[in-house]
Amino acid sequence: MKDHPFSLDLGSDLSVTGSGPYDSHLVRKLSDLRGYFADRQAFEELLHREDPVIYEVLEIRRPEVSGELLSGLSIVHPGRVGDEYNMTKGHFHSVRETAEIYYVLKGHGLLLMENEAGEWAAEEVVPGRIVYVPPCWAHRSVNLALGEDLITFFVYPGHAGHDYGSIASSGFRKLVLHVDGGYKVVDNPAWKPPAGPG
Ligand code: PAN
Ligand code: ZN
């Protein structure tokens, strides 16, 4: 863990092959994402043939306490499962009142967001854009470019924590599909309201 002030060069540290300035390297393969993609048959057929890496996260470790900032790179590789673009699992922060900033370094994608009041948003991004994810909004990165990684730099409060369970069981309200040569945000027919407490 880095304890002194430090700097890093995002311009030249985009490669995930070297260790770079990052402390941890999380790899999410297709097999880690069972249940996340809408087309279950396409998922199983693809997994039968291969188990591609869908996304990777490189983190700069800091204590997970308020006052700290956690940051790193999120890299979503190009591809689709059926008509649905490669994407991250997506999550709420366990501490709902914590926001996040994404700065887009490479590629073309969508930051898909929704809150528990039923609102949703899809911000289309290209390099140079920043997305502000407000407190209480679940967020997922979707790679729309079929030949290029979507690379973003993220920063969020140290005590935020991750709640994957809500999205894993309910899904996002919207799916992002490749339709007629472009992308379309459509209702998720499998979305169900989250189970209430108890
Ligand atoms: C990001 C995400 C990263 C991977 O660091 O964790 O993009 O997405 P999932 O965590 O949904 O698999 C972030 O939003 N952190 O809070
Ligand atoms: Zn987050």
Side-chain angles (χ1 to χ4, degrees):
M1 195 175 297
K2 296 166 182 65
D3 280 327
H4 287 80
F6 63 91
S7 66
L8 58 125
D9 181 355
L10 285 174
S12 61
D13 289 332
L14 284 179
S15 163
V16 297
T17 50
S19 57
Y22 302 99
D23 302 307
S24 79
H25 183 183
L26 178 79
V27 176
R28 292 269 188 236
K29 296 175 123 183
L30 185 68
S31 53
D32 298 315
L33 296 170
R34 176 169 270 119
Y36 281 90
F37 290 96
D39 187 337
R40 305 286 158 108
Q41 193 181 335
F43 175 93
E44 296 301 336
E45 282 171 8
L46 179 55
L47 189 57
H48 189 68
R49 294 198 301 275
E50 53 175 331
D51 188 10
V53 173
I54 305 296
Y55 66 96
E56 304 179 55
V57 184
L58 295 166
E59 290 171 308
I60 298 169
R61 280 258 163 82
R62 292 294 306 159
E64 296 183 8
V65 296
S66 66
E68 284 286 351
L69 293 172
L70 302 181
S71 63
L73 289 186
S74 163
I75 301 156
V76 185
H77 298 300
R80 290 195 301 254
V81 177
D83 293 330
E84 197 171 13
Y85 295 97
N86 281 2
M87 62 189 186
T88 60
K89 287 183 173 183
H91 59 267
F92 285 97
H93 291 162
S94 306
V95 177
R96 292 288 194 270
E97 298 76 23
T98 52
E100 182 155 352
I101 282 197
Y102 281 83
Y103 177 56
V104 183
L105 296 163
K106 188 173 195 285
H108 175 212
L110 277 189
L111 254 287
L112 186 63
M113 293 167 276
E114 66 179 45
N115 65 19
E116 287 163 311
E119 296 170 290
W120 66 277
E123 289 293 326
E124 188 167 350
V125 295
V126 291
R129 284 197 83 78
I130 281 180
V131 177
Y132 181 73
V133 181
C136 303
W137 284 70
H139 40 286
R140 160 179 285 168
S141 308
V142 180
N143 186 347
L144 297 175
L146 293 176
E148 192 181 23
D149 288 341
L150 173 66
I151 305 186
T152 52
F153 182 76
F154 57 82
V155 189
Y156 62 97
H159 65 302
H162 292 95
D163 166 13
Y164 290 100
S166 304
I167 295 299
S169 57
S170 301
F172 268 74
R173 288 179 164 78
K174 299 288 172 180
L175 306 177
V176 187
L177 303 181
H178 185 74
V179 180
D180 297 333
Y183 80 86
K184 214 167 178 179
V185 180
V186 303
D187 285 340
N188 176 4
W191 181 82
K192 51 181 187 305

